[in-house]
């Protein structure tokens, strides 16, 4: 025990957190998010690794990731790239396979999800031994930045509708900033078939179905500063389709 | 049971109770005033649920936090990070 304590300044739990960062054209954001992750994990003293899953970004994200690996070390930054853009859902599956932690944190690499909340997620998880902890924009001090009235209305309306229809026991269904016990994430990912936003929604709905316990931490969601959104397009249509599918099948 | 089935079950229970009272299906010989009160109930329920929904969503949109400080903090940290990363030898 003594030696383990020495290597983990403040913590002696033996827990390790694997952060999955799927990237597609995030060359500007990746160094910043990694820097912030290193900063907050350094301050809080938890054991961690960052797994970057780049899908052959044409902007050279992978090359930047390799530089970061040299700076921060191969034990902290793991690169698990894929040759082509295969989508977010399979990126998570791919990442989990290589995760060595007993907890996995999923977040966007576009700085919308701030690493400062991770210590709060971890604290929350330990408080109730939760199977998963979900960030929520809709409760407490949570919120958004850079959203106009229309976007707020759509977001709140969609959330209300999903709450009424699915009663999932979590306030933020489409958010993708979450901490999972690794085994829980594996069992969920196996079962989830949806794409895009609906994937996040399906994960939490299935979690409730399987009687996993869910903790929530309010987060602020800041719209991306750099780069372009990859979802978009028929977001609303696919959301409604996904909602109906989950309504009829779960 | 799926959520869809739960909903169908709930709605049919309510509708059955409503039909029993307003058309006196079980011949309970309920007073006429009961039947008259029950008859428009589904509409009232629907309208109040609609109002509740609009009210709730409206209130939540109005009280949706704008995280100005979070954005300001992030922008500051971005500058800090860029300087530090440059020092560490990152070339972008
Ligand atoms: N590996 C991989 N990562 C992806 C893919 N699509 C999106 N991503 C990453 O997934 C995260 C979320 O994607 P975003 O484009 O930010 O989607 P969003 O957050 O809904 O949209 P905005 O923040 O409004 O732009 C980002 O880190 C992206 O780089 C993909 O096909 N493969
Ligand atoms: Mg984003």
């Amino acid at each position: 025990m003594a030696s383990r304590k020495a290597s983990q300044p403040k913590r002696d739990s033996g827990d390790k957190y694997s952060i999955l960062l799927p990237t597609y054209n995030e060359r500007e954001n990746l160094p910043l998010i990694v820097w912030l992750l290193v900063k907050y994990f350094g301050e809080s003293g938890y054991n961690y690794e960052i797994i970057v899953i780049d899908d052959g970004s044409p902007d050279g994200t992978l090359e930047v990731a390799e530089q970061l690996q040299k700076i921060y070390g191969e034990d902290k930054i793991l690169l698990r790239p894929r040759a082509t853009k295969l989508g977010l859902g399979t990126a998570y599956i791919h990442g989990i396979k290589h995760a060595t932690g007993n907890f996995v944190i999923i977040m966007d690499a576009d700085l919308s999800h701030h690493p400062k909340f991770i210590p709060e997620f971890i604290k929350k998880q330990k408080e109730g031994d939760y199977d998963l902890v979900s960030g929520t924009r809709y409760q407490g001090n949570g919120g958004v930045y850079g959203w106009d009235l229309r976007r707020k209305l759509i977001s709140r309306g969609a959330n209300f509708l999903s709450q009424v229809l699915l009663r999932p026991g979590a306030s933020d269904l489409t958010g993708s900033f979450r901490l999972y016990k690794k085994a829980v994430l594996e069992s969920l990912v196996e079962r989830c078939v949806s794409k895009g936003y609906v994937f996040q929604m399906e994960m939490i709905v299935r979690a409730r179905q399987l009687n996993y316990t869910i903790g929530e931490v309010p987060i602020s969601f800041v719209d991306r500063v750099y780069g372009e959104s990859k979802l978009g397009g028929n977001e609303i249509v696919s959301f409604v389709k996904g909602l109906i599918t989950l309504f009829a099948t779960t | 049971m799926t959520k869809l089935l739960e909903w169908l079950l709930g709605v049919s229970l309510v509708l059955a109770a409503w039909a029993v009272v307003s058309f006196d299906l079980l011949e309970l010989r309920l007073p006429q005033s009961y039947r008259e009160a029950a008859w428009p109930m589904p509409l009232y329920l629907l309208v109040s649920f609609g109002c509740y929904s609009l009210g709730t969503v409206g209130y939540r949109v109005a009280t949706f936090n704008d995280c100005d400080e979070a954005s300001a903090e992030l922008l500051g940290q971005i500058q800090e990070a860029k300087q530090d990363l440059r020092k560490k030898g990152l070339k972008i």
Side-chain angles (χ1 to χ4, degrees):
Chain A
M1 278 315 275
S3 67
R4 187 185 273 174
K5 262 182 186 149
S7 65
Q8 292 169 30
K10 273 166 63 192
R11 317 286 166 175
D12 55 1
S13 58
D15 289 328
K16 182 171 179 183
Y17 298 85
S18 302
I19 301 115
L20 301 190
L21 284 184
T23 58
Y24 190 76
N25 287 348
E26 303 287 5
R27 127 181 226 111
E28 277 170 300
N29 289 316
L30 186 64
L32 303 173
I33 187 86
V34 167
W35 187 86
L36 285 167
L37 282 166
V38 171
K39 170 182 158 75
Y40 284 96
F41 270 100
E43 283 170 10
S44 58
Y46 296 107
N47 194 7
Y48 73 101
E49 66 185 1
I50 301 169
I51 303 177
V52 180
I53 306 127
D54 186 65
D55 272 2
S57 304
D59 76 343
T61 304
L62 186 59
E63 189 264 324
V64 174
E66 281 160 359
Q67 288 190 49
L68 289 165
Q69 193 178 37
K70 287 211 185 73
I71 294 173
Y72 291 111
E74 292 188 7
D75 56 328
K76 288 286 174 258
I77 316 268
L78 285 72
L79 307 183
R80 296 292 176 264
R82 302 186 295 178
T84 51
K85 192 172 189 308
L86 297 170
L88 208 45
T90 58
Y92 293 134
I93 298 174
H94 182 73
I96 298 166
K97 277 191 214 137
H98 300 280
T100 63
N102 52 335
F103 290 96
V104 178
I105 293 164
I106 282 181
M107 66 194 297
D108 291 354
D110 60 0
L111 299 176
S112 291
H113 298 148
H114 199 296
K116 71 181 172 191
F117 294 111
I118 292 178
E120 292 177 40
F121 279 42
I122 294 175
K123 213 173 121 236
K124 186 84 196 177
Q125 193 283 324
K126 290 187 184 298
E127 251 171 53
D129 191 29
Y130 292 109
D131 293 315
L132 81 92
V133 175
S134 173
T136 175
R137 296 161 288 182
Y138 302 118
Q139 272 185 350
N141 293 326
V144 293
Y145 178 81
W147 285 22
D148 58 9
L149 195 64
R150 182 175 164 270
R151 192 147 167 218
K152 284 183 176 175
L153 184 66
I154 292 173
S155 170
R156 283 296 201 182
N159 194 259
F160 179 80
L161 188 64
S162 338
Q163 293 291 342
V164 169
L165 293 181
L166 302 176
R167 280 171 288 125
S171 59
D172 196 336
L173 300 185
T174 50
S176 52
F177 192 3
R178 293 177 186 156
L179 181 154
Y180 297 84
K181 285 180 180 168
K182 189 181 174 195
V184 169
L185 181 60
E186 281 169 337
S187 86
L188 283 174
V189 149
E190 242 171 52
R191 290 182 169 81
C192 289
V193 292
S194 319
K195 300 261 174 310
Y197 278 125
V198 183
F199 176 76
Q200 306 297 346
M201 197 155 81
E202 183 174 5
M203 293 277 279
I204 209 129
V205 168
R206 299 234 181 257
R208 181 41 44 108
Q209 212 181 14
L210 296 169
N211 288 323
Y212 289 131
T213 53
I214 303 172
E216 292 195 292
V217 172
I219 58 158
S220 52
F221 180 100
V222 177
D223 245 4
R224 60 162 71 240
V225 185
Y226 300 107
E228 276 171 31
S229 176
K230 275 109 220 166
L231 292 170
N234 284 330
E235 258 168 51
I236 297 180
V237 176
S238 58
F239 173 81
V240 171
K241 271 193 205 154
L243 183 60
I244 293 171
T245 311
L246 288 178
F247 183 58
T249 58
T250 67
Chain B
M1 188 154 61
T2 66
K3 293 289 178 225
L4 176 65
L5 288 178
E6 279 177 33
W7 269 85
L8 289 177
L9 188 71
V11 170
S12 24
L13 281 178
V14 170
L15 280 181
W18 168 77
V20 164
V21 178
S22 33
F23 304 118
D24 206 359
L25 295 182
L26 300 180
E27 315 216 341
L28 298 169
R29 255 163 282 160
L30 296 165
Q32 185 65 21
S33 61
Y34 279 37
R35 301 175 57 174
E36 272 164 17
W39 165 242
M41 264 309 157
L43 189 67
Y44 289 164
L45 271 180
L46 223 63
V47 170
S48 26
F49 179 70
C51 291
Y52 165 75
S53 306
L54 284 181
T56 309
V57 172
Y59 176 77
R60 287 178 180 172
V61 169
T63 57
F64 212 159
N65 281 337
D66 281 305
C67 306
D68 297 316
E69 334 76 54
S71 162
E73 183 193 15
L74 178 65
L75 290 178
Q77 287 179 328
I78 288 178
Q79 293 316 316
E80 205 186 322
K82 279 184 172 167
Q83 277 178 11
D84 187 51
L85 284 165
R86 218 169 287 136
K87 241 186 281 160
K88 288 191 162 83
L90 184 84
K91 288 181 280 295
I92 328 180

